[in-house]
Amino acid sequence: MAFADPRDGDIEDDASSTSRHSLLAHAGTMLLDTSLPKLAIALVQALVVPGLVLGAAPVVALWFLQQVWWRLPGEANAAWLSVFLAVDAWLVWRFGPRLFRMVERAFWSLNAGLVQPLFMAVREAVRQLLERRLARREAGAEALAKRRVTAGLVAGGLIAAVGALTAYAVGPLPRWFSPVLGVEDLPLFLRDALANGVWAVSAYLAVAAPAWSLGEAIAGSPRDLPPAPEGEAEWRVAHLSDIHLVGEEYGFRLECGRDGPRGNWRFEAALRALEEADARARLDLVLITGDVTDAGRNAEFIAFADAMRAHPSLAARTLILPGNHDLNIVDRASPARLELPTSPGPWIRRLRMLAATAALQGGRVRVMAPGRRAVGPTLDEFLAQDGRSASMAAFLDDGRVPRGQPRPRDVWEACFPMVVPPASPDGCGVLLLDSNALTHFSFTNALGILAAAEWHAAEHAMAEWPRARWLVCLHHHLVEYPKAGVKLADRIATALTNGHWVIARLRRQAARLVVLHGHRHTDWTGEVGGVRILSAPSPVMGDADLASPRYFWIQRFARGEGDALAVLAAERIDVACQPGAPAAE
């Protein structure tokens, strides 16, 4: 007799599951299974090289002044000086921006690879420790908020102390001068450059960590919103997130392994439920806030396209944006896999996501014009200009960019924010943001950060319609929910690292916008500092019980007083639990 059903999966399907394995177990697996030479090369490329670039910049600049500029002859040499200045100006014009971006990206590479994960890990560990130790003494939302603010300040102080001590140990000041750069002087130069890089990052950490903690404290504590009122909705938005499509009928998913549904039938059930809801009252928008796929593979994007093709009416009103599973998963079957910072992998996954986005909504969303101060062409028009589509297709084909053609990084960054302008001056527009950090390691794949340049561009877009309301959509949550007992593995590096800064910017026009996000697989309706936040549950991911009910919400909005966007009572849509089963009660 058969003793197992292969459709149920087995322990091999749970290799990357965070519901079956602890964070410590995954760390042990990575240490045992990771290629040590590759790990060493990756650390050199991700940390040492950016540190050298960052630390060498002031040394090279001052060496140039010392050895070249200050040695120009001083007698009647105005012509030589003019020629020198002209050549120097040309070099700065031609190569200066590229060199500046190199140094800037080196800094942010260190920031994303070391500083932010460290801050998030220490902060959440301290928070959870305080929550467990002090929960019995004082219960309730106010006490929880107080503990989290305290934990953030403590974590910021601890990291600042470590950063300050490290900066003092390698300093106490950076090394500005280095001897003439001969071959025999190279070891000393590299030592000084690396010391400068360590000093810069440590000094930045000593200042930034308490600043982030203070910023979070000032931003305010997250609070649940009271039940929204009933009323006549002007805009009905079905908000889904984290559908984690796989490319096989009985494929496993990275986080839940064999637990939860097999394949993608729950998403198909959600689409059928949407069709029924749309027949009752027309939907204006179907929004999927990231993690469209489980690992950003071609087969998964094909599954998404096939599912949407079966519902053309919904597809014409659906918008998607990228999540960390779409962009940052190296191998969903092996958490020990990593890729080198020079690997084309992260950009291949981003271009897959961009291609799927363009196929679905390329004619309905706009990108910012050059200069990033005004809304520009549609996504389709932008990709068709200046050979971008051909260049990106060539990169997907062989992992290289043809000489002189647009680079994947530049194209990707120029596509966000994506903007759906309001239909009328006082209508409701949509902003689609990319909140994913560029990572190469399994443990940091969920890291989120919203680039300042991207949000400034979004503010310029909103300024073009000053009377309009806006749905601000991203994948990561701005703050950790006001709920105790969340596992540490679920909290490290999941909330937006610079969420407090984003909240401070959103607060300036909080009345006319609402933030919608996913990432946490659960729903929450709340506010921080007056900024209203709506989180979407996953209609697909579930626990080990295949019959566990899943659902999502149709959010309902209306015009409020003045230019305000009013949030009305949402409509819950239940999703069938198993193939052939009715929707959950």
Side-chain angles (χ1 to χ4, degrees):
M1 66 180 274
F3 58 86
D5 188 340
R7 292 173 297 183
D8 294 335
D10 51 47
I11 192 171
E12 191 175 44
D13 293 333
D14 299 330
S16 301
S17 172
T18 54
S19 62
R20 292 270 183 167
H21 302 290
S22 69
L23 191 66
L24 184 61
H26 279 305
T29 300
M30 289 188 66
L31 289 175
L32 291 174
D33 295 347
T34 297
S35 166
L36 295 181
K38 188 174 183 179
L39 177 61
I41 294 172
L43 290 175
V44 168
Q45 290 184 345
L47 300 178
V48 177
V49 171
L52 285 173
V53 171
L54 188 65
V59 176
V60 172
L62 289 171
W63 171 85
F64 173 79
L65 290 176
Q66 182 184 29
Q67 302 298 327
V68 180
W69 180 265
W70 292 341
R71 294 191 178 188
L72 285 174
E75 301 87 6
N77 62 349
W80 282 105
L81 185 59
S82 299
V83 171
F84 178 82
L85 288 174
V87 172
D88 194 49
W90 181 84
L91 289 173
V92 171
W93 174 80
R94 181 67 178 82
F95 300 105
R98 185 177 301 177
L99 292 174
F100 176 79
R101 285 196 300 270
M102 183 186 301
V103 174
E104 182 184 34
R105 284 171 179 168
F107 174 80
W108 287 113
S109 176
L110 287 169
N111 198 52
L114 178 65
V115 175
Q116 292 163 351
L118 175 64
F119 174 76
M120 298 291 283
V122 174
R123 185 192 67 182
E124 293 306 327
V126 173
R127 280 182 173 178
Q128 190 169 74
L129 180 63
L130 287 181
E131 285 176 20
R132 289 181 176 180
R133 293 293 178 88
L134 302 179
R136 297 178 181 178
R137 300 183 185 179
E138 195 175 5
E142 292 294 336
L144 178 63
K146 186 187 301 183
R147 289 195 296 272
R148 289 192 171 170
V149 169
T150 302
L153 294 174
V154 170
L158 288 174
I159 298 173
V162 173
L165 290 173
T166 304
Y168 181 80
V170 300
L173 294 174
R175 295 160 172 82
W176 297 104
F177 291 96
S178 193
V180 177
L181 296 181
V183 175
E184 68 280 3
D185 300 314
L186 186 59
L188 183 59
F189 169 75
L190 292 176
R191 185 205 68 181
D192 290 348
L194 187 59
N196 281 351
V198 173
W199 184 90
V201 172
S202 300
Y204 166 72
L205 195 60
V207 175
W212 288 340
S213 298
L214 287 171
E216 290 179 340
I218 294 172
S221 299
R223 303 178 187 279
D224 296 333
L225 281 176
E230 300 289 344
E232 188 67 27
E234 298 183 60
W235 301 285
R236 301 180 74 245
V237 178
H239 183 196
L240 294 80
S241 193
D242 299 86
I243 58 178
H244 287 263
L245 296 186
V246 292
E248 311 88 17
E249 183 177 1
Y250 294 102
F252 65 94
R253 288 182 167 83
L254 191 154
E255 291 182 34
C256 62
R258 57 182 152 161
D259 296 341
R262 311 300 294 175
N264 303 323
W265 50 261
R266 252 188 199 173
F267 177 60
E268 295 165 358
L271 291 176
R272 292 192 295 272
L274 274 174
E275 292 276 16
E276 297 173 2
D278 186 51
R280 295 193 298 269
R282 180 175 171 80
L283 295 169
D284 296 282
L285 178 66
V286 178
L287 177 66
I288 305 176
T289 51
D291 282 358
V292 176
T293 66
D294 197 55
R297 297 304 188 262
N298 280 322
E300 297 168 345
F301 284 113
I302 293 171
F304 175 69
D306 289 346
M308 298 309 301
R309 192 177 297 114
H311 301 272
S313 178
L314 292 178
R317 287 169 281 168
T318 299
L319 297 174
I320 60 175
L321 56 84
N324 60 295
H325 278 254
D326 302 312
L327 308 182
N328 288 335
I329 302 301
V330 179
D331 185 346
R332 68 189 176 103
S334 173
R337 280 285 303 277
L338 57 86
E339 57 193 354
L340 300 178
T342 53
S343 167
W347 302 109
I348 289 174
R349 293 189 292 273
R350 278 161 174 77
L351 293 186
R352 288 176 189 154
M353 181 69 199
L354 186 58
T357 302
L360 179 70
Q361 62 204 42
R364 295 183 286 122
V365 298
R366 295 185 174 274
V367 301
M368 300 302 288
R372 313 280 284 170
R373 292 181 174 270
V375 176
T378 66
L379 177 60
D380 282 346
E381 293 168 343
F382 171 77
L383 293 175
Q385 296 168 356
D386 302 323
R388 293 186 181 96
S389 292
S391 176
M392 297 305 98
F395 183 85
L396 285 174
D397 186 52
D398 63 8
R400 293 180 295 177
V401 178
R403 184 178 296 275
Q405 295 299 309
R407 297 182 302 168
R409 179 192 290 269
D410 297 330
V411 172
W412 175 263
E413 291 177 352
C415 287
F416 293 93
M418 294 182 188
V419 184
V420 179
S424 62
D426 63 345
C428 186
V430 182
L431 292 171
L432 304 175
L433 305 171
D434 172 27
S435 60
N436 300 278
L438 177 62
T439 69
H440 310 280
F441 298 91
S442 296
F443 269 26
T444 58
N445 80 83
L447 189 68
I449 186 168
L450 188 63
E454 183 180 353
W455 179 248
H456 290 153
E459 290 178 323
H460 285 297
M462 289 191 289
E464 291 193 42
W465 290 271
R467 295 173 50 209
R469 289 86 175 164
W470 292 91
L471 303 180
V472 179
C473 310
L474 71 167
H475 183 58
H476 292 77
H477 45 301
L478 302 182
V479 292
E480 184 62 48
Y481 299 161
K483 298 178 181 178
V486 180
K487 293 188 302 181
L488 182 61
D490 294 336
R491 286 164 51 158
I492 290 180
T494 55
L496 205 64
T497 302
N498 60 341
H500 61 278
W501 177 82
V502 177
I503 292 170
R505 306 290 297 195
L506 289 166
R507 187 182 292 161
R508 301 177 180 183
Q509 39 195 332
R512 69 184 190 115
L513 59 82
V514 171
V515 177
L516 300 98
H517 72 82
H519 194 42
R520 279 298 305 273
H521 299 180
T522 186
D523 57 340
W524 179 63
T525 301
E527 62 89 18
V528 181
V531 178
R532 294 163 295 175
I533 301 173
L534 304 177
S535 172
S538 169
V540 166
M541 303 285 275
D543 55 28
D545 181 7
L546 289 178
S548 63
R550 305 306 297 164
Y551 62 93
F552 61 90
W553 297 94
I554 294 178
Q555 301 292 348
R556 302 166 63 251
F557 305 100
R559 289 177 172 85
E561 295 184 6
D563 298 328
L565 176 63
V567 179
L568 304 179
E571 176 185 349
R572 173 170 162 152
I573 303 296
D574 291 321
V575 178
C577 298
Q578 301 182 63
E585 294 297 332

